[in-house]
Amino acid sequence: MKNKQPCLLILLMVALASFNLFSEENASIAIIDVQAALLSTEASKQAFDDLSNSKEWKEVAEELQLKLNEAKEIQEKGQKEGPTMSDEDKIEAQKRLRSLSQDANFLNEKLNQMRSDLVNLIQQEQGPKFQKVVSELMRAKGIKIILHSNAVLGWDQGDASLNITPDVVDLLNQGDES
């Protein structure tokens, strides 16, 4: 069994060397952060601005801030008056803080869901344009393989030509202008 492992390793190395996937003659490789590309476009930035200025967003954010402010006031009062507060008052303050915490968590989750829904909408709307732009960029630059930046253990980040994310953002923005 021990003799088979070195043979398999050598066989694998020979196969990879003969495949020669990563030679510049056969393939050009690029890296992209898909979500960063989609969310960095001017259209996406405008969509997030619209969301943060929407009535629903402002109402939820304002309500969240009110809950947080009230919780802060209760905590400050508890620190100042804690030693002189009755046990009943302390229990009521703790109950109110728990209630405010639950409310704040719910409101924060609601804001996160609104953001998440917008991201999904952007990805859905921009998906076809994104695919077209990436395909055209691959042809124009002679790229054979594109890897998602999260799937790559490392690359020469000093070589700007490897990361096509900024190029894709520029092309998506140009497409929005026309």
Side-chain angles (χ1 to χ4, degrees), residues 106-156:
F106 171 77
L107 293 168
N108 194 43
E109 189 58 39
K110 190 171 182 178
L111 292 174
N112 287 335
Q113 186 61 50
M114 291 167 73
R115 275 189 216 101
S116 180
D117 290 347
L118 181 59
V119 167
N120 289 337
L121 180 64
I122 290 168
Q123 290 174 338
Q124 190 175 32
E125 288 177 352
Q126 296 288 321
K129 282 182 10 181
F130 175 82
Q131 290 298 329
K132 182 179 178 190
V133 163
V134 169
S135 295
E136 290 172 359
L137 192 59
M138 286 181 75
R139 278 191 295 278
K141 289 190 169 204
I143 298 169
K144 302 293 182 203
I145 299 172
I146 297 179
L147 301 172
H148 194 289
S149 60
N150 291 342
V152 178
L153 294 176
W155 77 88
D156 179 3

Coordinates of all heavy atoms in Angstrom, one line a residue, residues 106-156:
F106 N -36.4 43.1 16.9 CA -37.4 43.0 15.8 C -37.3 44.1 14.8 O -37.3 43.8 13.6 CB -38.8 43.0 16.4 CG -39.9 43.0 15.4 CD1 -40.2 41.9 14.6 CD2 -40.6 44.2 15.1 CE1 -41.2 41.9 13.7 CE2 -41.5 44.3 14.1 CZ -41.9 43.1 13.4
L107 N -37.1 45.3 15.2 CA -37.0 46.5 14.3 C -35.7 46.4 13.5 O -35.7 46.6 12.3 CB -37.1 47.8 15.0 CG -38.5 48.1 15.6 CD1 -38.4 49.2 16.6 CD2 -39.5 48.3 14.6
N108 N -34.6 46.0 14.1 CA -33.4 45.8 13.5 C -33.4 44.7 12.4 O -32.9 44.9 11.3 CB -32.3 45.5 14.5 CG -30.9 45.7 13.9 OD1 -30.6 46.7 13.2 ND2 -30.0 44.8 14.2
E109 N -34.1 43.7 12.8 CA -34.3 42.6 11.8 C -35.1 43.0 10.6 O -34.9 42.6 9.5 CB -35.0 41.4 12.5 CG -35.0 40.1 11.7 CD -33.6 39.6 11.2 OE1 -32.6 39.7 12.0 OE2 -33.5 39.2 10.1
K110 N -36.1 43.9 10.9 CA -37.0 44.4 9.8 C -36.1 45.2 8.8 O -36.2 45.1 7.6 CB -38.1 45.2 10.4 CG -39.2 45.6 9.4 CD -40.4 46.2 10.1 CE -41.4 46.6 9.1 NZ -42.6 47.1 9.8
L111 N -35.2 46.1 9.4 CA -34.3 46.9 8.5 C -33.4 46.0 7.7 O -33.2 46.2 6.5 CB -33.5 47.8 9.4 CG -34.3 49.0 10.0 CD1 -33.4 49.8 10.9 CD2 -35.0 49.9 9.0
N112 N -32.9 44.9 8.4 CA -32.0 44.0 7.7 C -32.7 43.3 6.6 O -32.2 43.0 5.5 CB -31.4 43.0 8.7 CG -30.3 43.6 9.5 OD1 -29.7 44.5 9.2 ND2 -30.1 43.0 10.7
Q113 N -34.0 42.9 6.8 CA -34.8 42.2 5.8 C -35.1 43.2 4.6 O -35.0 42.7 3.5 CB -36.1 41.7 6.4 CG -36.9 40.9 5.4 CD -36.2 39.6 5.0 OE1 -35.7 38.9 5.8 NE2 -36.1 39.4 3.7
M114 N -35.3 44.4 4.9 CA -35.5 45.4 3.8 C -34.2 45.5 3.0 O -34.3 45.6 1.7 CB -35.9 46.8 4.4 CG -37.3 46.8 5.1 SD -37.6 48.2 6.1 CE -37.9 49.5 4.8
R115 N -33.1 45.6 3.6 CA -31.8 45.6 2.9 C -31.6 44.4 2.1 O -31.2 44.4 0.9 CB -30.6 45.7 3.9 CG -30.3 47.1 4.3 CD -29.0 47.1 5.1 NE -29.0 48.1 6.1 CZ -29.3 47.9 7.4 NH1 -29.4 46.6 7.8 NH2 -29.3 48.8 8.3
S116 N -31.9 43.2 2.7 CA -31.7 41.9 2.0 C -32.7 41.8 0.8 O -32.3 41.3 -0.3 CB -32.0 40.8 3.0 OG -31.9 39.6 2.4
D117 N -33.9 42.3 1.0 CA -34.8 42.2 -0.2 C -34.3 43.1 -1.3 O -34.5 42.7 -2.5 CB -36.2 42.7 0.3 CG -36.9 41.7 1.2 OD1 -36.5 40.6 1.3 OD2 -37.9 42.1 1.8
L118 N -33.8 44.3 -1.0 CA -33.2 45.1 -2.0 C -32.0 44.5 -2.7 O -32.0 44.6 -3.9 CB -32.8 46.5 -1.4 CG -32.3 47.5 -2.4 CD1 -33.3 47.8 -3.5 CD2 -31.9 48.8 -1.7
V119 N -31.2 43.9 -2.0 CA -30.0 43.2 -2.6 C -30.5 42.1 -3.5 O -30.0 42.0 -4.7 CB -29.1 42.6 -1.5 CG1 -28.1 41.6 -2.1 CG2 -28.4 43.7 -0.7
N120 N -31.5 41.3 -3.1 CA -32.0 40.3 -4.0 C -32.6 40.9 -5.2 O -32.5 40.3 -6.3 CB -33.1 39.4 -3.2 CG -32.4 38.6 -2.2 OD1 -31.3 38.2 -2.2 ND2 -33.2 38.2 -1.2
L121 N -33.4 42.0 -5.1 CA -34.0 42.6 -6.2 C -32.9 43.1 -7.2 O -33.0 43.0 -8.4 CB -34.9 43.8 -5.8 CG -35.6 44.6 -6.9 CD1 -36.6 43.7 -7.6 CD2 -36.3 45.8 -6.3
I122 N -31.9 43.8 -6.7 CA -30.8 44.3 -7.5 C -30.1 43.1 -8.2 O -29.8 43.2 -9.5 CB -29.7 45.0 -6.6 CG1 -30.3 46.4 -6.2 CG2 -28.4 45.3 -7.4 CD1 -29.5 47.0 -5.1
Q123 N -29.8 42.0 -7.5 CA -29.2 40.9 -8.2 C -30.1 40.3 -9.3 O -29.6 39.9 -10.3 CB -28.9 39.8 -7.1 CG -27.7 40.2 -6.2 CD -27.5 39.2 -5.1 OE1 -28.4 38.4 -4.7 NE2 -26.3 39.3 -4.5
Q124 N -31.4 40.2 -9.0 CA -32.3 39.7 -10.0 C -32.4 40.6 -11.2 O -32.3 40.2 -12.4 CB -33.7 39.6 -9.4 CG -34.7 38.8 -10.2 CD -36.0 38.7 -9.4 OE1 -36.4 39.5 -8.6 NE2 -36.6 37.5 -9.6
E125 N -32.5 41.9 -11.0 CA -32.6 42.9 -12.1 C -31.3 43.0 -12.9 O -31.3 43.2 -14.1 CB -33.0 44.3 -11.6 CG -34.4 44.3 -11.1 CD -34.8 45.7 -10.6 OE1 -33.9 46.5 -10.4 OE2 -36.0 45.9 -10.3
Q126 N -30.1 43.0 -12.2 CA -28.8 43.2 -12.8 C -28.2 41.9 -13.4 O -27.3 42.0 -14.1 CB -27.9 43.8 -11.8 CG -28.2 45.2 -11.4 CD -28.1 46.3 -12.4 OE1 -27.1 46.2 -13.2 NE2 -29.0 47.2 -12.5
G127 N -28.8 40.8 -13.0 CA -28.2 39.5 -13.4 C -28.0 39.3 -14.9 O -26.8 39.0 -15.3
P128 N -29.0 39.5 -15.7 CA -28.7 39.4 -17.2 C -27.7 40.3 -17.7 O -26.9 39.9 -18.5 CB -30.1 39.6 -17.8 CG -31.1 39.4 -16.7 CD -30.4 39.7 -15.4
K129 N -27.7 41.6 -17.3 CA -26.7 42.6 -17.7 C -25.3 42.2 -17.2 O -24.4 42.3 -18.0 CB -27.1 44.0 -17.2 CG -28.2 44.7 -18.0 CD -28.5 46.1 -17.6 CE -27.7 46.8 -16.6 NZ -28.2 48.1 -16.3
F130 N -25.3 41.7 -16.0 CA -24.0 41.2 -15.4 C -23.4 40.1 -16.3 O -22.3 40.1 -16.6 CB -24.2 40.8 -14.0 CG -23.0 40.2 -13.3 CD1 -22.0 41.0 -12.8 CD2 -22.9 38.8 -13.3 CE1 -20.9 40.5 -12.2 CE2 -21.7 38.3 -12.7 CZ -20.8 39.1 -12.2
Q131 N -24.3 39.1 -16.6 CA -23.8 38.0 -17.4 C -23.3 38.4 -18.7 O -22.2 38.0 -19.2 CB -24.9 36.9 -17.6 CG -25.2 36.2 -16.3 CD -24.1 35.4 -15.8 OE1 -23.2 34.9 -16.5 NE2 -24.0 35.3 -14.4
K132 N -24.0 39.3 -19.4 CA -23.6 39.9 -20.7 C -22.3 40.6 -20.6 O -21.4 40.4 -21.4 CB -24.7 40.8 -21.2 CG -24.4 41.3 -22.6 CD -25.5 42.2 -23.1 CE -25.2 42.8 -24.5 NZ -26.1 43.8 -24.9
V133 N -22.2 41.5 -19.6 CA -20.9 42.3 -19.4 C -19.7 41.3 -19.2 O -18.7 41.5 -19.7 CB -21.1 43.3 -18.3 CG1 -19.8 43.8 -17.8 CG2 -22.0 44.4 -18.7
V134 N -19.9 40.4 -18.3 CA -18.8 39.4 -18.0 C -18.4 38.7 -19.2 O -17.2 38.5 -19.5 CB -19.2 38.5 -16.8 CG1 -18.2 37.4 -16.6 CG2 -19.3 39.3 -15.5
S135 N -19.4 38.2 -20.0 CA -19.1 37.4 -21.2 C -18.3 38.3 -22.2 O -17.3 37.8 -22.8 CB -20.3 36.9 -21.9 OG -21.0 36.0 -21.0
E136 N -18.7 39.5 -22.4 CA -18.0 40.4 -23.3 C -16.6 40.7 -22.8 O -15.7 40.8 -23.6 CB -18.9 41.7 -23.5 CG -20.1 41.5 -24.2 CD -21.0 42.8 -24.2 OE1 -20.7 43.8 -23.6 OE2 -22.1 42.7 -24.9
L137 N -16.5 40.9 -21.5 CA -15.2 41.2 -20.9 C -14.2 40.0 -21.1 O -13.1 40.2 -21.4 CB -15.3 41.6 -19.5 CG -14.1 42.2 -18.8 CD1 -13.7 43.5 -19.5 CD2 -14.5 42.5 -17.3
M138 N -14.8 38.8 -20.9 CA -14.0 37.6 -21.1 C -13.4 37.6 -22.5 O -12.2 37.3 -22.7 CB -14.8 36.4 -20.8 CG -15.0 36.1 -19.4 SD -16.0 34.6 -19.0 CE -14.8 33.4 -19.3
R139 N -14.3 37.8 -23.5 CA -13.9 37.8 -24.9 C -12.8 38.9 -25.2 O -11.8 38.7 -25.8 CB -15.0 38.0 -25.9 CG -15.8 36.7 -26.1 CD -16.8 36.8 -27.2 NE -17.9 37.7 -27.0 CZ -19.0 37.5 -26.3 NH1 -19.1 36.3 -25.8 NH2 -19.9 38.4 -26.1
A140 N -13.1 40.1 -24.7 CA -12.2 41.2 -25.0 C -10.9 41.1 -24.4 O -9.8 41.4 -25.0 CB -12.9 42.5 -24.5
K141 N -10.8 40.4 -23.2 CA -9.5 40.3 -22.5 C -8.9 38.9 -22.7 O -7.8 38.6 -22.1 CB -9.7 40.6 -21.0 CG -9.9 42.0 -20.7 CD -9.8 42.2 -19.2 CE -9.8 43.7 -18.9 NZ -9.2 44.0 -17.6
G142 N -9.6 38.0 -23.4 CA -9.1 36.7 -23.6 C -9.1 35.8 -22.3 O -8.2 35.0 -22.1
I143 N -10.0 36.1 -21.4 CA -10.1 35.4 -20.2 C -10.8 34.0 -20.4 O -11.9 34.0 -21.0 CB -10.9 36.2 -19.1 CG1 -10.1 37.5 -18.8 CG2 -11.1 35.4 -17.8 CD1 -11.0 38.5 -18.0
K144 N -10.2 33.0 -19.9 CA -10.8 31.7 -20.1 C -11.5 31.2 -18.8 O -12.4 30.4 -18.8 CB -9.7 30.6 -20.4 CG -9.0 31.0 -21.7 CD -9.9 30.9 -22.9 CE -9.1 31.1 -24.1 NZ -9.9 31.6 -25.2
I145 N -11.0 31.7 -17.6 CA -11.5 31.2 -16.3 C -11.7 32.4 -15.4 O -10.8 33.2 -15.3 CB -10.6 30.2 -15.7 CG1 -10.4 29.0 -16.5 CG2 -11.1 29.8 -14.3 CD1 -9.4 28.0 -16.0
I146 N -12.9 32.5 -14.8 CA -13.1 33.6 -13.8 C -13.4 32.8 -12.5 O -14.3 32.0 -12.5 CB -14.3 34.5 -14.2 CG1 -13.9 35.3 -15.4 CG2 -14.5 35.5 -13.0 CD1 -15.0 36.2 -15.9
L147 N -12.7 33.2 -11.4 CA -13.0 32.6 -10.1 C -13.6 33.7 -9.2 O -13.2 34.8 -9.3 CB -11.6 32.2 -9.5 CG -10.8 31.1 -10.3 CD1 -9.5 30.9 -9.7 CD2 -11.6 29.8 -10.4
H148 N -14.5 33.2 -8.4 CA -15.1 34.1 -7.4 C -14.0 34.4 -6.3 O -13.4 33.5 -5.9 CB -16.3 33.5 -6.8 CG -17.2 34.5 -6.0 ND1 -16.8 35.0 -4.8 CD2 -18.4 35.0 -6.3 CE1 -17.7 35.9 -4.4 NE2 -18.7 35.9 -5.3
S149 N -13.9 35.6 -5.9 CA -12.9 36.0 -5.0 C -12.9 35.3 -3.7 O -11.9 35.0 -3.1 CB -12.9 37.5 -4.7 OG -14.2 37.9 -4.2
N150 N -14.1 34.8 -3.3 CA -14.3 34.1 -2.0 C -13.8 32.6 -2.2 O -13.5 32.0 -1.2 CB -15.7 34.0 -1.6 CG -16.2 35.4 -1.1 OD1 -15.5 36.3 -0.8 ND2 -17.5 35.5 -1.1
A151 N -13.6 32.2 -3.4 CA -13.2 30.8 -3.6 C -11.7 30.7 -3.8 O -11.2 29.6 -4.0 CB -13.9 30.2 -4.8
V152 N -11.0 31.8 -3.8 CA -9.6 31.8 -4.1 C -8.8 31.9 -2.8 O -9.1 32.8 -2.0 CB -9.2 32.9 -5.1 CG1 -7.7 33.0 -5.3 CG2 -10.0 32.8 -6.4
L153 N -7.9 31.0 -2.6 CA -7.1 31.1 -1.3 C -6.1 32.3 -1.3 O -5.8 32.9 -0.3 CB -6.3 29.8 -1.1 CG -7.2 28.6 -0.9 CD1 -6.3 27.3 -0.8 CD2 -8.0 28.7 0.4
G154 N -5.7 32.7 -2.5 CA -4.8 33.8 -2.6 C -4.4 34.1 -4.0 O -4.5 33.3 -4.9
W155 N -4.1 35.4 -4.3 CA -3.6 35.8 -5.6 C -2.8 37.1 -5.4 O -2.9 37.7 -4.3 CB -4.8 36.0 -6.6 CG -5.6 37.2 -6.4 CD1 -5.4 38.4 -7.0 CD2 -6.8 37.4 -5.6 NE1 -6.3 39.3 -6.6 CE2 -7.2 38.7 -5.8 CE3 -7.6 36.5 -4.8 CZ2 -8.4 39.2 -5.2 CZ3 -8.7 37.0 -4.2 CH2 -9.1 38.3 -4.4
D156 N -2.1 37.4 -6.4 CA -1.2 38.6 -6.4 C -2.1 39.8 -6.5 O -2.5 40.3 -7.6 CB -0.2 38.6 -7.5 CG 0.7 39.8 -7.5 OD1 0.6 40.7 -6.6 OD2 1.5 39.9 -8.5

